[in-house]
């Protein structure tokens, strides 16, 4: 509800006043809650938003809108602001003594104003050496005050500059944190750097800023930034390479970068090696012969593909660390220790894991991947080989540890990611201290992470990649597991037999039927673990809310928030994750203490998901938690991630989303006691076999498909592979000449 002051237009208003109190401030995000006394006003008002380093006594000119907080009443929500020099000597004294300038306290501020009067600001700006005239201010302290004043003025100038060019206080604060004293210079020189350096700023935002700064539409810098953005968009779709014509057409159609400037910009990007080019087939042109690239890729991704191929070649060529293993004797020992009898195919797979330098193990649910992996690791550990187990996500690493009884961690932690420097401690030249490296959920590896991982593995180590190649490919660019298998240069164990105990599960049976292009079958009785529940599309959301809140908890005794996950083919639209999250939050957690950021409302007790890698907080895309605490006035929250509490400021809430429901892509590498999947015709474009297969294989105790039979059949029959344009297969074949043994 907007509370408009007289004369305000469309909810926009402005106030000018003095900061009386700083109730809350996040140094990381710049979000603050202030009590401001308006000019001529009798009572202070509450001001919220990204108001930088505002201090008590500082006078601000604020533009924004009045809103009503359900608990705290009227608040002024800031859109833009600027600091105003106080007009009176008393105001100036309070301003200088507010703590705004390091080294000037209340008493020193009084003496400075008493010494210079109305000339105080002119002295600080133009003749700071005169501060030596102030009683008790020695040369060293004069220098500290001069430097602190200069720093504060640089901040103010940068904030005024940014906001005058249409940049919100939130983004202005992020830009200032990134560039500091160089902020204005960077924006004048290359405003498109913002799209690469600042989270939340894309090409279009940077383009608007560039236009405000007077950069012409046909500027070479704009064309280069537009092409890099188009390449980045293609990478977001999973591709490494883009046909040249497609890239130029996309830049012209979506970004209004004309063909001529785009072609010249492309030449410049190729010359500067920010973009890599691939010649047209069939032959590589001779040295010195000019050629026009047929396909293009960000240079970093092309380098990652080459690095993966070279690392695999090094691993396959080097002898393995450790003693030779008598495979038959080792298998007999393991069967005796574990009190089990391995199937013939499992024995063959374990034997290969003991003898191959690099091995891929792939298969669907119930095919024994975990059993053979436990056996291989038990034998390798018995030989005193150093084992390193990891997975792309924290939840997948936890599952790997539970399955093997050995410690496992995320790949980022295994490699020692440095959030400050942005690199990895473990790399070529400083490799992992391991003789055997096992990576689970390898279908989630994109080309960037795979490159860094393989570069960090010493040549003498063994590498075992475990994953289900029939699942969705990685969220990031590339199709690493599929390409490694397709190359034919790396040994592969394909597990297809479903073992008796797993075959009794309708979830397992349904997943394999989907993989074969057959409709899954519901369990014949109420005690089963897999069902298709037909429902009218317009009632699917209502039905799922009832299942989550009432039916499933009553039947299985599970916690509806902790144990049930709704997995959606799409985020938007009918029965999408956004609609379902709103409906489930309203039903399961209607009255929790709330933190609000824009349209987002997070309540204590809500299930939430991290949606971006945050290396400073050590939380990663896809991590699930629950809101443990919230402060409504400040808009910040604390999230419990499996017992680890992580704080978020109001400006950081865009890293979190409600997760009663999430996309199937976000669920990769995770398992849940109960999975519910909406299937409606409006999801048509996304419905595909590997998508549904991935969703079904996430459930352990119960899987429910809810919706239209027509939509179900669409998903089962649509087996068009997710074609990703990569060159990893060719790179591996060129680097590793000998085919893998059968």
């Amino acid at each position: 509800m907007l509370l408009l002051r007289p004369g305000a237009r469309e909810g926009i208003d402005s106030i000018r006043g003095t900061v009386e109190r700083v109730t809350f401030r996040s140094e990381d995000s710049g979000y603050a809650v202030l009590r401001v006394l308006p000019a001529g006003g009798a009572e202070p008002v509450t001001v919220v938003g990204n108001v930088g380093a505002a201090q008590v006594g500082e006078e601000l000119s604020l533009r924004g809108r009045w809103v009503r907080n359900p608990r705290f009443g009227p608040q002024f929500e800031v859109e833009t602001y600027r600091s105003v020099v106080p007009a009176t000597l008393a105001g100036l004294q309070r301003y200088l003594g507010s703590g705004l300038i390091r080294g000037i306290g209340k008493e020193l501020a009084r003496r400075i104003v008493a010494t210079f009067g109305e000339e105080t600001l002119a002295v600080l700006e133009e003749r700071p050496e005169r501060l030596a005239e102030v009683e008790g201010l020695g040369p060293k302290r004069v220098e500290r005050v001069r430097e602190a004043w200069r720093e504060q003025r640089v901040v103010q100038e940068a904030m005024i500059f940014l906001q005058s060019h249409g940049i919100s206080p939130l983004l202005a604060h992020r830009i200032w944190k990134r560039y500091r004293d160089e902020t204005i210079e960077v924006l004048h020189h290359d405003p498109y750097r913002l799209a690469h350096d600042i989270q939340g700023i894309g090409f279009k935002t940077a383009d608007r800023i560039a236009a405000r700064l007077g950069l012409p539409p046909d500027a070479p810098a704009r064309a280069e930034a537009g092409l890099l953005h188009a390449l980045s968009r293609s990478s977001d779709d999973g591709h490494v390479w883009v046909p040249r014509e497609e890239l130029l057409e996309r830049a012209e159609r979506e970004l209004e970068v004309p063909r001529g400037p785009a072609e010249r910009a492309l030449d410049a990007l190729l010359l500067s090696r920010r973009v890599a080019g691939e010649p047209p087939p069939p032959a590589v042109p001779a040295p010195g012969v000019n050629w026009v690239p047929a396909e293009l890729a960000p240079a970093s991704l092309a380098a990652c593909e080459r690095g993966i191929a070279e690392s695999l070649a090094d691993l396959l060529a080097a002898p393995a660390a450790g003693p030779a293993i008598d495979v038959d004797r080792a298998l007999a020992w393991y069967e005796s220790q574990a009190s089990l009898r391995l199937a013939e195919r499992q024995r063959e797979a374990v034997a290969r894991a003991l003898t191959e330098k690099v091995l891929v193990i792939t298969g669907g649910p119930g095919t024994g991947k975990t059993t053979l992996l436990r056996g291989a690791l038990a034998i390798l550990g018995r030989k005193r080989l150093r084992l390193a187990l990891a997975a792309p996500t924290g939840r997948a690493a936890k599952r790997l540890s539970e399955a093997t009884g050995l410690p496992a961690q995320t790949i980022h932690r295994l490699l020692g990611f440095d959030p400050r420097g942005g690199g990895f401690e473990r790399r070529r030249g400083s490799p992992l201290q391991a003789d055997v490296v096992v990576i689970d959920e390898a279908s989630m590896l994109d080309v960037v992470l795979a490159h860094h991982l393989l570069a960090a593995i010493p040549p003498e180590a063994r590498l075992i990649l475990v994953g289900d190649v029939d699942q969705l490919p990685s969220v990031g660019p590339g199709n690493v597991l599929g390409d490694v298998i397709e190359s034919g240069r790396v040994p592969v164990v394909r597990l297809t037999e479903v073992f008796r105990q797993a075959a009794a599960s309708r979830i397992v049976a349904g997943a394999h039927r989907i993989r074969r292009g057959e409709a899954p079958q519901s369990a014949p009785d109420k005690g089963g673990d897999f069902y298709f529940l037909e429902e009218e599309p317009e009632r699917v959301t209502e039905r799922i809310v009832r299942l989550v809140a009432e039916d499933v908890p009553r039947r299985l005794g599970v916690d509806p928030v902790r144990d049930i996950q709704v997995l959606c083919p799409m985020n938007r639209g009918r029965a999408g994750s956004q609609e379902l999250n709103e409906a489930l939050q309203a039903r399961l957690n209607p009255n929790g203490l709330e933190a609000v950021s824009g349209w987002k409302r997070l309540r204590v007790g809500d299930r939430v998901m991290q949606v971006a890698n945050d290396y400073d907080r050590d939380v990663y895309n896809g991590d699930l938690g629950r809101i443990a605490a919230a402060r409504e006035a400040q808009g910040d929250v604390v999230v419990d991630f499996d017992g680890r509490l992580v704080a978020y400021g109001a400006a950081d809430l865009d890293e979190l989303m409600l997760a009663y429901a999430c996309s199937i892509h976000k669920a990769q590498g995770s398992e849940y006691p109960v999975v519910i999947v909406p299937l409606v015709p409006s999801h048509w474009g996304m419905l595909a076999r590997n998508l549904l297969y991935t969703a079904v294989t996430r459930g352990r105790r119960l899987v429910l498909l809810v919706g239209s039979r027509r939509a179900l059949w669409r998903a089962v029959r649509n087996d068009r592979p997710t074609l990703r344009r990569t060159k990893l297969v060719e790179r591996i074949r060129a680097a590793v000449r000998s085919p893998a043994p059968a």
Side-chain angles (χ1 to χ4, degrees), residues 314-620:
D314 291 344
L315 282 172
L316 290 164
I325 298 174
D326 184 329
V327 173
D328 290 336
R329 187 177 176 185
L331 288 170
W333 171 83
Y334 174 67
E335 289 179 327
S336 173
Q337 289 290 112
S339 301
L340 57 77
R341 180 69 179 173
L342 293 170
E344 189 59 35
R345 184 60 175 153
Q346 287 181 312
R347 290 176 64 85
E348 293 173 8
V350 174
R352 297 195 73 178
L354 299 177
T355 55
E356 300 287 4
K357 195 67 192 316
V358 180
L359 181 68
V360 173
I361 301 172
T362 186
T367 57
K369 294 193 299 292
T370 300
T371 300
L372 73 87
L373 186 59
R374 273 200 298 258
L377 291 174
I379 294 167
L380 292 166
R382 179 76 174 178
K383 294 294 182 180
R384 300 189 181 280
L385 295 174
R386 297 168 297 174
L387 308 177
L389 281 64
T393 68
R395 294 177 70 85
K398 185 177 180 182
R399 287 175 48 217
L400 177 60
S401 181
E402 292 168 350
T404 61
L406 297 169
Q409 56 193 316
T410 65
I411 295 173
H412 279 85
R413 285 194 176 182
L414 175 70
L415 301 182
F417 184 79
D418 175 14
R420 303 299 178 188
F424 292 96
E425 294 175 9
R426 298 300 179 185
R427 57 191 182 277
R428 195 179 299 276
S430 180
L432 294 166
Q433 301 301 302
D435 302 311
V436 181
V437 177
V438 177
I439 303 298
D440 198 13
E441 296 290 352
S443 62
M444 299 178 68
L445 284 173
D446 60 34
V447 291
V448 177
L449 189 55
H451 163 63
H452 288 294
L453 169 68
L454 290 168
I457 298 175
E460 67 275 8
R462 293 175 169 89
L463 171 63
I464 302 174
L465 298 173
V466 185
D468 187 346
V469 76
D470 292 314
Q471 289 186 21
L472 291 168
S474 58
V475 174
N479 184 28
V480 174
L481 184 64
D483 287 350
V484 168
I485 293 172
E486 187 183 342
S487 74
R489 298 296 194 263
V490 175
V492 178
V493 170
R494 296 179 184 269
L495 302 173
T496 56
E497 179 186 354
V498 179
F499 289 91
R500 186 179 304 167
Q501 184 177 357
S505 165
R506 288 275 175 169
I507 295 175
V508 172
H512 284 281
R513 287 182 66 88
I514 291 167
R515 185 179 58 81
R516 294 192 301 267
E518 303 168 9
Q521 297 176 339
S522 290
D525 54 52
K526 292 185 178 180
D529 61 0
F530 184 94
Y531 297 92
F532 172 69
L533 306 177
E534 192 162 8
E535 186 58 85
E536 294 297 323
E538 61 271 14
R539 298 184 59 189
V540 165
T541 294
E542 178 187 344
R543 179 76 177 274
I544 289 177
V545 170
R546 189 166 67 249
L547 286 166
V548 173
E550 302 174 21
D551 300 348
V552 174
R554 184 168 56 244
R555 177 187 151 185
L556 297 182
V558 296
D559 183 319
V561 177
R562 184 186 65 237
D563 299 326
I564 302 175
Q565 185 64 57
V566 180
L567 299 180
C568 305
M570 294 183 65
N571 290 319
R572 301 182 183 277
R574 175 174 289 165
S577 62
Q578 290 181 5
E579 178 180 282
L580 278 158
N581 270 320
E582 291 175 7
L584 287 165
Q585 184 192 47
R587 179 65 185 275
L588 298 174
N589 191 24
N591 301 313
L593 192 65
E594 193 172 75
V596 181
S597 177
W599 57 270
K600 187 174 294 185
R601 294 178 178 274
L602 300 178
R603 297 170 184 154
V604 171
D606 275 340
R607 181 183 179 99
V608 292
M609 177 181 286
Q610 176 79 14
V611 295
N613 289 336
D614 189 326
Y615 302 108
D616 291 324
R617 291 186 172 89
D618 195 23
V619 287
Y620 301 95

Side-chain angles (χ1 to χ4, degrees), residues 29-31 48-52 63-65 77-82 155 158-177 183 187 194 198-202 205-206 208-209 212 597 651 654:
S29 67
Y31 182 88
V48 299
N50 289 81
V51 286
R63 182 173 171 81
R65 64 182 69 243
E77 199 171 72
V78 176
E79 291 188 358
T80 62
Y81 80 99
R82 62 185 178 88
V155 173
M159 288 298 179
I160 292 170
F161 174 83
L162 292 169
Q163 292 180 71
S164 69
H165 289 89
I167 301 172
S168 71
L170 171 60
L171 290 182
H173 184 81
R174 288 180 181 171
I175 293 168
W176 167 253
K177 282 185 67 178
T183 296
L187 264 69
L194 298 174
I198 312 294
Q199 182 182 345
I201 297 184
T205 301
R208 286 196 298 270
I209 294 169
R212 284 175 174 266
S597 177
D654 56 354

Side-chain angles (χ1 to χ4, degrees), residues 273-284:
R273 299 188 178 180
R274 285 185 285 171
V275 169
E278 189 75 3
V284 176

Side-chain angles (χ1 to χ4, degrees), residues 698-715:
R698 301 306 90 202
R700 289 198 306 268
R701 293 181 61 185
L702 178 66
V703 172
L704 303 175
L705 310 181
V706 184
S708 155
R709 195 170 296 277
R710 179 167 168 255
L712 172 63
W713 270 109
R714 161 70 178 181

